[in-house]
Amino acid sequence: MTGPTGPSVRALFFDSPGDAVTALAEAVRTGAAAGEIRDGLGRMPAAGKDAVLAEVGRVADGILDMGVADMVEQGWNRYTALVDAATRSLANPGGRELVEMATHTATVDYRPSVEVHLADLPVAAVGMRALLEFTLRGLVGVVADGALTAIRAGTWECTGTLELAGQVIANRKGEVTMPAEIRFRRPIPLR
């Protein structure tokens, strides 16, 4: 699924939302996390344990809803041409500067977790990891009032690995379809 900030992280790794839920639920039921969760749930009936494991898979899938552009927002303030444009834009309030950006590489190591509790006591924490490397070509940054407000997309290539509880769930490599212009929810201060 592609939204105003591009596809979700889920869409980078799976062809459909159903594929994601199935893969994550299977990983939770059969991987190292399953033993830890089952042990932590003690004498709970097997059907209850299975329901908890299925819910962990659904919650893990929900974490993957984050938009690609949201993840790539990190690190823009290290790009010298953008910082220079931000300085100039402060002298011209309301004006915009367009900054051509050569090839830009961004690596994102996203590590959320799903915590399982029983009667307010922690039972287990199931770690996830999405390691993504984006190569962005032909981008134009839109700078106004000292901040990066949008990027006009060129081509985005991505290589990624998705793990759940240390188990590799998916690997992908390919081009990412992004909107022509991505406006950030909040401008990214550069100065």
Side-chain angles (χ1 to χ4, degrees), residues 76 79-86 88-89 96-102 138-144 147-148 150-152 190:
W76 292 106
Y79 195 74
T80 304
L82 289 174
V83 173
D84 293 345
R88 288 189 304 273
S89 73
R96 296 183 346 165
E97 291 219 15
L98 302 179
V99 180
E100 287 187 46
M101 299 165 57
L139 294 181
V140 174
V142 181
V143 178
L148 180 65
I151 54 173
R152 294 183 182 166
L190 299 169

Side-chain angles (χ1 to χ4, degrees), residues 1-10 12 62-76 104 106-110 130 132 134 136 148-151 156 176-179 181-188:
M1 168 184 237
T2 300
T5 62
S8 67
V9 173
R10 177 191 306 107
L12 293 180
I63 290 171
L64 299 179
D65 239 359
M66 178 180 273
V68 168
D70 293 331
M71 295 181 77
V72 177
E73 282 183 25
Q74 308 169 39
W76 292 106
H104 179 77
T107 300
V108 178
D109 193 354
Y110 181 53
L132 304 166
F134 296 96
L136 310 137
L148 180 65
T149 60
I151 54 173
W156 292 52
V176 180
T177 302
M178 298 297 287
E181 182 171 284
I182 299 166
R183 293 190 176 279
F184 297 121
R185 288 187 187 109
R186 282 179 240 119
I188 300 168

Side-chain angles (χ1 to χ4, degrees), residues 101-142:
M101 299 165 57
T103 300
H104 179 77
T105 301
T107 300
V108 178
D109 193 354
Y110 181 53
R111 294 177 184 243
S113 64
V114 177
E115 292 185 11
V116 178
H117 293 259
L118 179 63
D120 294 330
L121 298 173
V123 171
V126 180
M128 295 179 66
R129 181 181 190 200
L131 181 59
L132 304 166
E133 183 172 293
F134 296 96
T135 302
L136 310 137
R137 301 178 199 284
L139 294 181
V140 174
V142 181

